[in-house]
Amino acid sequence: MTYVFLLCAIVGEVIATSALKAANGFTNLVPSVIVIVGYAAAFYFLSLTLRTLPVGIAYAVWSGLGIVLISIVGWVIYRQALDLPAILGMGLIIAGVIVINAFSRAGH
């Protein structure tokens, strides 16, 4: 269940961060509510994750995958450009998350 909670935290954070642009400085009600609920859910599920997973590992996975996913959302929804260095950097982030989960004993 730990990784299910972590996945829920990542999804909540990506939804909230995606809605931040539409919230327009918290002047638009619906996106603002989505931001608040999304971040609340993200931190709640992250706190559940931290019951069993070390904080450094949990945060590395949470922030790393969050960066990649929110960059994809920005590219698809907001038409924000991703150049080759950005894509390569995100590839390295994904590789780092894979290495942590596949080879590190710190999370076990």
Side-chain angles (χ1 to χ4, degrees):
M1 285 302 290
T2 299
Y3 283 95
V4 172
F5 291 149
L6 185 55
L7 182 61
C8 290
I10 293 166
V11 169
E13 187 264 337
V14 169
I15 290 170
T17 302
S18 300
L20 266 175
K21 185 167 179 67
N24 195 27
F26 291 98
T27 58
N28 295 330
L29 180 62
V30 173
S32 298
V33 171
I34 292 170
V35 169
I36 293 166
V37 171
Y39 281 129
F43 284 112
Y44 171 73
F45 284 110
L46 184 61
S47 73
L48 295 179
T49 301
L50 296 178
R51 289 179 177 171
T52 56
L53 205 59
V55 68
I57 300 299
Y59 193 75
V61 174
W62 184 58
S63 60
L65 291 180
I67 289 167
V68 171
L69 291 175
I70 198 61
S71 295
I72 292 168
V73 167
W75 177 60
V76 171
I77 294 176
Y78 297 113
R79 304 284 186 229
Q80 296 171 342
L82 293 175
D83 58 9
L84 184 59
I87 293 168
L88 289 173
M90 285 185 278
L92 291 171
I93 291 169
I94 292 169
V97 170
I98 290 169
V99 167
I100 288 170
N101 284 292
F103 302 109
S104 176
R105 295 184 186 265
H108 301 288

